Amino acid sequence: MSHSLGTCVVPMNAGVTMKRNGNGKTATARHLEIVEPRQLYFGEKWQYAPSPEKKDHVKLKKHYDLFIDGKFVPGKSGKTFPTINPATEETLAEIAYAEAADVDRAVTAARRAYDKVWRKMPGSERAKYVFRIARMIQEKARELAVLESMDGGKPIRESRDCDIPLAAAHFFYYAGWADKLDYAFPGRKARSIGVAGQVIPWNFPLLMAAWKIAPALASGNTVVLKPAETTPLTALHLAEIIQEADLPPGVVNIVTGDGTAGAAIVNHPNVDKIAFTGSTEVGKMIQRAIAGTNKRLTLELGGKSANIIFEDAPMDQAIEGIIDGIYFNQGHVCCAGSRLFVQESIAEIVERKLWDRMQNLRVGDPLDKNTDVGAINSKMQLNKICELVDAGVREGATKHQIECALPKKGYWFRPTFFTKVAQSHRIAQEEIFGPVLSVLTFRTPEEALERANNSPYGLAAGVWTDKGSKIFKIANRMRAGVIWANTYNQFDPSSPFGGYKESGFGREGGVHGLASYVELY
Amino acid sequence: MMHVTVDQVGVEERARKLSTRSIKTSSKREGIKLIISMIDLTTLEGKDSPGKIRAMCQKAIRPLPGNADVPSVAAVCVYPNLIREAKRCLAGTNIKIASVATGFPSGQYPLDIKLADVRDAVTMGADEIDMVIDRGAFLAGKYRKVADEIAKVKEACGPAHLKVILETAELETFDNIRKASWIAMESGADFIKTSTGKLKEAATLPITLVMLEALRDYWYETGKVIGMKPAGGIRTSKDALRYLVLVKETVGDTWLTPDLFRFGASTLTNDLLMQLAKEMTGNYQAAEYFTID
């Protein structure tokens, strides 16, 4: 192939402002001069008008109580805490603050419901309730999506197209298992465990509630669930759905609060199983706390997942996979593809394409239907991201951050990636949980494997190559719970999810997820 | 980057995601006007006559009579025998005349006939030539033959711009579409174009995305700017706006011009006008209020 390189002049419409590469200088040019490396220009020739999702249909209350024994009740101490919109810093509602006494009430109600009603109910009857919840989530999908975006800062496009439909899908999926437990584990019988104490994170509030509640209910357990402190609203609206669905009182209890309530659940003697999704640090504390008790435990913890791009990958789709892997939900994803391993032979072109692609990430109002990256969930999280990014710069990695306007109020972080990252840098080791990617290079498949596995975590991985045999080779030797081939961040209720090493143990989703909520004999 | 592969599931997913962009109010209005200015208003039927061409050219010049705010289309696209009539009708305007040639739509003719076809069309006044590639040769793996033909046609075009029609439906796979795009660009295409419009399956968003990515990679590699023309099957404003989104977010502002992006369409214009009138007046008007030329 012969290519005429060298300077080439491209006719442009007059008056279009061209941004030159890197140096930040802009020039109004009749002609686009080619500077190396060439860069595309994504400007304002044709802009999207604001397209905000309406929120007047959301029945947002000023005050929310705890959901215990089928009723909404205030916390015993009467204390409340505010939940705020991270995109505006406005208080959305006051939430009842649960302490040990409230958790005790909730566990007692769950125990009673388990012994008197739920464990004895035929699976086919339990299924009806779970199906009903699934359908009601679908009916209220719009309201829940808006609420999720307001409370957590995630783009409405994601809450509308991903969080809420998947939450409903989980209830549908596990509802189907409720009367088929005898066939779920061939040759063995499954029996429910009892009261499940569940503590969930703030990154996918309703979806995580669905992941936890749906399999527990389907297999005959009752539940005490604590949503995250910064994002309690959709779980409380789920409580309203559960009440409307006429679930027997006490089968699902939802207590809102902070680590105090979480610890009370973990330490309560009447709880038979703990399911936790959150940080590795808290996961370790929980495991220590319940050592020597009869409680079962599943932990879904942090990650620093590797996204491996080989030179024979479908490149433009791989770029999308990188974007989806790290900028989806502002990077607040435990399985985020936060370590990018690129084969050295294509590293330059991948970085260039990634950079050009990132110019089209629209950062801002989570309720705008065209927003790609929303608000960082909390001030605390934003501080943590900033700290690690600063560490990356200090340790000598090269920072690439897009220049986009940000709203004046709220918590924001511009999508960023680092190159010249060494395995020993903090940004290659620690979970950032934000829109920040570390790019590393490798030369051979063996090296990719070795370096990708060189992490205390092992939640997920992505492999990008057109060669099937290479996919299997890598997948078989990656120490990660989920491995995506030529895609990333795909979720389905029938597919198990969970980690190796410090990313936790136990699986959620699929028949594997059911196994965590039953005793087999 | 000629041999970069395309993952079908991934490219379809990307096109689907881009098609959920919400285009409202001012962006819809401006987008529709931009689309009108990018149209190759097309008639390619056996029954085309000078009368039909006269009517179509009038529509091309002034798509919405009485409203100077609505731009003219970019070009009209006709069979060679009707070039002269189009030329007469469009004299004094900036509207280009595109003609299909090279044994359109099959391309299954000897090379000298194809070249004569092209030279005739240019002599008669075509500003742009829409050629078809030899899909039979491509699918038989005779890439050199395909490339040589395109290069010779380009030579025969002289000053006329060359659009190379891949007829993507017959190439079937995204890998083939990318490969054919690359061959066309290396052999002298000024534009790459999806379809003849003669098959049921024509332009789609994923196909257009793959071709835009190919021409972007070609630009990365060579600095040469190639244009893109999806043709066939784009009938509604909503569809057309999705193509515009694809351009905006794949190759950027440079390509948001009739110089580098065209819509090959025969019936799209009236839906655009209908939507535009709605944006301007607040009400939808019945189809009878828009001329069908």
Side-chain angles (χ1 to χ4, degrees), chain B residues 9 49 61 75 84 109 148 172 221 239 276:
Chain B
V9 177
S49 64
I61 298 168
R84 287 213 169 93
Y109 293 85
D148 286 348
E172 203 172 304
E221 219 170 274
D239 270 354
L276 196 58

Side-chain angles (χ1 to χ4, degrees), chain A residues 336-350:
Chain A
S338 50
R339 286 183 303 153
L340 178 68
F341 288 93
V342 187
Q343 197 151 10
E344 215 171 296
S345 54
I346 54 162
E348 204 178 304
I349 185 69
V350 166

Side-chain angles (χ1 to χ4, degrees), chain B residues 158-203:
Chain B
H161 267 237
L162 176 63
K163 304 198 197 96
V164 178
I165 303 173
L166 309 181
E167 194 65 308
T168 51
E170 291 185 343
L171 303 183
E172 203 172 304
T173 68
F174 289 118
D175 284 332
N176 274 349
I177 291 167
R178 184 177 168 99
K179 199 184 291 171
S181 301
W182 207 271
I183 290 172
M185 292 187 290
E186 288 208 311
S187 310
D190 295 301
F191 264 70
I192 47 176
K193 174 176 168 184
T194 58
S195 324
T196 59
K198 292 293 170 198
L199 297 179
K200 211 166 130 223
E201 281 155 41

Side-chain angles (χ1 to χ4, degrees), chain A residues 66 74-81 95-102 105 256:
Chain A
L66 311 175
K76 275 212 170 124
S77 68
K79 282 189 230 169
T80 63
F81 64 97
I95 312 292
Y97 179 79
E99 292 178 340
D102 304 298
R105 255 199 304 177
T256 44

Side-chain angles (χ1 to χ4, degrees), chain B residues 12-77:
Chain B
E12 285 173 354
E13 174 64 13
R14 172 70 177 147
R16 194 196 58 75
K17 263 193 196 160
L18 279 174
S19 71
T20 65
R21 287 294 190 209
S22 173
I23 309 298
K24 295 271 152 69
T25 59
S26 60
S27 52
K28 186 168 173 187
R29 229 171 15 245
E30 294 313 309
I32 288 176
K33 283 193 216 163
L34 187 54
I35 292 165
I36 292 173
S37 77
M38 291 170 161
I39 286 179
D40 280 4
L41 198 58
T42 304
T43 184
L44 294 170
E45 291 177 6
K47 62 181 180 183
D48 284 348
S49 64
K52 163 77 187 171
I53 300 303
R54 280 196 292 275
M56 191 178 78
C57 287
Q58 205 49 50
K59 180 94 175 178
I61 298 168
R62 177 106 348 134
L64 194 59
N67 192 327
D69 202 27
V70 177
S72 305
V73 304
V76 294
C77 183

Side-chain angles (χ1 to χ4, degrees), chain A residues 38 46 51 316 356 370, chain B residues 22 27 186 216-217 220 248:
Chain A
R38 290 183 198 97
W46 177 54
S51 181
D316 288 306
D356 273 343
N370 288 327
Chain B
S22 173
S27 52
E186 288 208 311
R216 179 197 56 193
D217 291 352
Y220 277 147
K248 176 180 166 65

